[in-house]
Amino acid sequence: MSSPDERLDFSTLADLFLLHGSMQSPAFLDGRLCAELALNDVTADAWLEEVCIGLGVEQPRDRESGEALLAWRRQTLEALADSGLNYEPLLPDELFSLAERARGLQEWTLGFLEVIDDAGEAQREGWSQALREAIEDLTGLAAIETDIDDSAENENDLFALTEHARMAAMLLYTEQHPGQPQVESGDPTRH
């Protein structure tokens, strides 16, 4: 049994999905989770229900599974709200090929954008220009070529794209939750 302080990673959640009979990548739901926490402050119960629907089950198979799914929400919320700006999308790590990692980023982006699209134009009108541009750039990211070779150049490109998704997620959260975290003003994505 893992300790509550241990960070859930992509492989752990992918294994949990498999236990529930789902071959789906957790990346898509993680993208949705991030946007929902920013826009709707999704509750633990609502999140658990959404994951179960995504997995095609009525409820988690056991208490540990339910606790892990709730820990996923809590861990994401804590990272988004942390002043250290250390939020990381839940994506396949170095143990996976670059193509699998690119697919993970694409799936995360699709999940994130799905929630953004559902938010509607009225909510988006209050967003800063920087956030609108970051979200617009993500729509391009949703269409990235994922059938890529393992090379240093592709790895650097994928890192930069992942960093862009990460910054867009944090920008969305901080704009929807002013003063939480306390961050310097200015656009960290511009150099």
Side-chain angles (χ1 to χ4, degrees):
M1 186 70 193
S2 63
S3 74
D5 297 336
E6 211 172 287
R7 262 188 71 76
L8 288 165
D9 61 12
F10 180 86
S11 296
T12 305
L13 280 165
D15 290 347
L16 186 60
F17 277 32
L18 280 174
L19 276 176
H20 286 82
S22 175
M23 297 292 285
Q24 180 181 180
S25 163
F28 178 80
L29 279 173
D30 191 66
R32 284 192 57 88
L33 172 62
C34 175
E36 286 179 358
L37 285 169
L39 295 175
N40 310 321
D41 293 315
V42 67
T43 66
D45 288 344
W47 172 243
L48 205 52
E49 185 178 328
E50 181 174 341
V51 176
C52 287
I53 290 168
L55 294 175
V57 297
E58 284 189 25
Q59 61 190 45
R61 63 191 300 257
D62 52 41
R63 186 180 169 156
E64 286 78 20
S65 297
E67 286 172 359
L69 295 171
L70 290 174
W72 177 13
R73 177 190 166 276
R74 191 171 51 250
Q75 168 180 302
T76 304
L77 181 59
E78 285 168 3
L80 284 167
D82 184 45
S83 61
L85 299 179
N86 60 359
Y87 168 75
E88 292 287 338
L90 190 79
L91 299 171
D93 58 24
E94 291 74 38
L95 300 173
F96 294 82
S97 72
L98 268 185
E100 289 170 313
R101 288 157 56 193
R103 253 189 315 280
L105 178 59
Q106 182 182 50
E107 288 170 1
W108 184 93
T109 304
L110 289 168
F112 186 82
L113 290 174
E114 194 173 85
V115 174
I116 298 288
D117 290 344
D118 290 347
E121 196 53 48
Q123 188 164 14
R124 290 195 290 266
E125 280 175 16
W127 294 357
S128 69
Q129 189 61 35
L131 177 56
R132 286 185 212 200
E133 286 172 13
I135 300 295
E136 203 172 293
D137 291 346
L138 284 186
T139 57
L141 198 64
I144 60 169
E145 177 59 57
T146 58
D147 193 15
I148 56 175
D149 298 326
D150 285 326
S151 72
E153 186 181 344
N154 284 341
E155 180 138 19
N156 288 338
D157 289 347
L158 187 61
F159 176 81
L161 292 171
T162 302
E163 187 61 14
H164 188 85
R166 189 177 88 80
M167 293 309 294
M170 288 190 301
L171 195 55
L172 178 67
Y173 186 84
T174 53
E175 278 198 19
Q176 301 304 304
H177 299 82
Q180 181 196 10
Q182 296 290 330
V183 289
E184 298 298 314
S185 62
D187 183 4
T189 60
R190 298 267 181 257
H191 296 291

